[in-house]
Amino acid sequence: MPITSAEGRSADSTALPASADAASADSAEPIMLELVDEDGRTIGTAEKLAAHVSPGRLHRAFSVFLFDDAGRLLLQRRALGKYHSPGVWSNTCCGHPYPGEPPFVAAARRTAEELGAAPALLREAGTVRYNHPDPLSGLVEQEYNHLFVGTVREGLDPDPEEIEDTAFVTPAELEKLMGEVTFSAWFMTVLDAVRPAVRELIGTGAGW
């Protein structure tokens, strides 16, 4: 399985205490998220960390799944310094639109910022709502998640503050990897929700 950045580090990492994260956050401009109701309608905003403190507040998010020409899924391992789910593997890119930012625009923007490569193709793939506590940090993902699928052809240049490793995997390689390392709490939820759109995009021959 090709790895495009640093290898050999443990996949099980300990999160920074929430108090330390909050202290560092105090010195920076707060990141605001868009709060929504159960139907995805905007009802307000909240600071990013506050929205994830248990029991969490339902907010808008996005998840991107990009594939190469061979039908392999691009995974990322989240940077070890992230306050939420550090060091775990997940789908190509996840994030939150700025308040008022269209989810498609946010997904394309963050994918390019994190991976150093823009999607060759990106299309909407529905939404999924979930509630996933993160066992490492104690934070909670209460998200109304907009899903996107697409392809990538450029070479990757991941931002080390966001991404520790990347890998392109087949379904069989993903199954093996999931038995060896830790994945994000939301990964299987978003993967299962996006499978129909993936099959429309790359066909059924790749096995997704």
Side-chain angles (χ1 to χ4, degrees), residues 13-121:
S13 306
T14 302
L16 294 173
S19 58
D21 290 315
S24 63
D26 286 343
S27 63
E29 187 74 19
I31 298 174
M32 304 302 291
L33 305 186
E34 193 170 274
L35 301 180
V36 299
D37 64 16
E38 293 292 341
D39 296 313
R41 293 183 293 248
T42 302
I43 59 173
T45 61
E47 189 275 326
K48 183 177 179 181
L49 181 58
H52 289 86
V53 173
S54 181
R57 303 184 69 183
L58 184 60
H59 57 274
R60 197 177 308 283
F62 64 82
S63 289
V64 177
F65 290 77
L66 297 183
F67 297 81
D68 66 8
D69 289 338
R72 297 179 303 168
L73 171 61
L74 175 57
L75 300 175
Q76 68 156 278
R77 184 183 177 206
R78 293 165 63 85
L80 301 179
K82 294 181 76 69
Y83 74 86
H84 191 340
S85 302
V88 303
W89 286 87
S90 198
N91 52 292
T92 309
C93 181
C94 293
H96 309 92
Y98 295 128
E101 182 181 28
F104 183 92
V105 173
R109 172 181 59 80
R110 282 305 295 163
T111 299
E113 290 172 353
E114 291 190 11
L115 293 168
L121 173 70

